Amino acid sequence: MGDEMISEKAKLVGNRIKMMRLAKGLRQKHVADMLKISQSNLSNIESGRCGVTIEHLFTLQEIFACSMNDFFVDIEKSAYESSKRGYTVEDLLNIVAKIKG
C-alpha cells in the first residue's frame, strides 16, 4: 500500500471526523480538549495532514455517540459504488451541519 493511498484514507477519515463534529455542533477547540491534544493537532487530523490514533478514535466514538464503522464506511468502495447510492455519509453530515447553521 503506497503512501499516497494511506494519505488519501487519512483525509477521508479526517474529513468524516470534521463532518461529525460539525453535525454535533462542537467547536474544534472543545473536541481537541476532550482528546487532550492541541487544536492545531485536531486541525491536522481533520485535514488529513496526520493520522488519528486508535485511542483518539475510541474517544471520538464516545463524543459523537457513533460506531467505529462510522469513521470508515465507504472508504474501500469505488467511486462508482458510492455514486450509485446517491448521497455519501459526508454529504449527509455536511447537509445537517449547514442546516444547523
Side-chain angles (χ1 to χ4, degrees):
M1 183 178 300
D3 288 342
E4 185 175 307
M5 183 174 277
I6 293 170
S7 177
E8 186 59 34
K9 289 180 180 183
K11 286 180 184 177
L12 290 170
V13 172
N15 186 56
R16 182 143 311 122
I17 291 168
K18 180 179 181 179
M19 292 296 106
M20 294 170 86
R21 177 180 60 77
L22 292 173
K24 291 285 186 179
L26 299 172
R27 295 188 181 270
Q28 202 174 53
K29 174 73 171 126
H30 180 69
V31 174
D33 289 345
M34 293 173 80
L35 293 172
K36 296 180 174 65
I37 60 174
S38 68
Q39 183 177 351
S40 64
N41 192 359
L42 181 56
S43 176
N44 287 334
I45 290 169
E46 289 183 351
S47 67
R49 289 187 295 270
C50 71
V52 62
T53 67
I54 191 70
E55 291 86 6
H56 289 147
L57 284 176
F58 283 125
T59 303
L60 289 167
Q61 179 184 13
E62 291 177 20
I63 293 168
F64 300 146
C66 66
S67 75
M68 191 63 74
N69 290 340
D70 292 334
F71 297 112
F72 303 102
V73 68
D74 292 340
I75 287 181
E76 294 295 328
K77 295 193 185 249
S78 70
Y80 171 74
E81 289 172 321
S82 294
S83 66
K84 199 167 66 171
R85 266 196 6 249
Y87 290 106
T88 64
V89 172
E90 292 90 7
D91 293 335
L92 295 174
L93 289 172
N94 196 20
I95 291 167
V96 170
K98 286 181 180 180
I99 290 171
K100 287 187 173 185

